[in-house]
Amino acid sequence: MQPMTLKTLARAAAMASAGLMLAACVRISEPDAARVDCGKPGPHGVTCKIQRTAGNGGFEACWDLVISCRNKGGMSGGACHKVAQGQSAASEIMPVQSFSNQASCDVPTSGKVEHLKIKSL
């Protein structure tokens, strides 16, 4: 076995450093992702919580909330909310007036978030 020369050792250290920098770049550029969970409709609207699930950059989450009703009617509304870089959670109140087809709904029974889109800022 031959002893390592200073040049070989320096090259190995440079390669290791380059590998660590590349790994750091890959980690930093992880795409932003989030989930949105909405509570029960109240007299003023519905509160939706946006929870970051990946990434660390600023993003905007946009979604539709489809609400089913006891009389088989339904209503729906859409919202967007910006989440700052490094922020892990936020909330948005979807006001009652933002929902369409309210007259077709007697009593809201459940809701489902659909068409969630995350756009990096």
Side-chain angles (χ1 to χ4, degrees):
M1 185 166 147
Q2 295 181 353
M4 286 185 121
T5 65
L6 185 55
K7 185 177 179 180
T8 304
L9 189 57
R11 186 180 301 142
M15 296 287 279
S17 293
L20 286 174
M21 285 188 282
L22 180 61
C25 288
V26 170
R27 182 71 177 136
I28 290 170
S29 65
E30 180 179 25
D32 294 305
R35 62 177 287 149
V36 174
D37 297 304
C38 298
K40 292 182 179 179
H44 301 292
V46 180
T47 300
C48 296
K49 302 211 180 283
I50 302 102
Q51 179 67 49
R52 180 187 300 276
T53 58
N56 198 33
F59 67 88
E60 181 176 49
C62 294
W63 66 93
D64 293 326
L65 179 59
V66 178
I67 297 176
S68 300
C69 305
R70 185 173 57 197
N71 65 349
K72 306 295 183 211
M75 53 186 181
S76 63
C80 291
H81 190 88
K82 291 181 181 177
V83 178
Q85 180 176 353
Q87 186 178 1
S88 62
S91 63
E92 173 75 17
I93 296 175
M94 297 178 68
V96 170
Q97 56 271 30
S98 70
F99 289 90
S100 63
N101 300 323
Q102 292 183 37
S104 71
C105 183
D106 60 349
V107 177
T109 56
S110 64
K112 182 178 179 183
V113 172
E114 295 182 350
H115 310 115
L116 175 61
K117 294 193 182 353
I118 305 298
K119 179 178 130 187
S120 294
L121 300 175

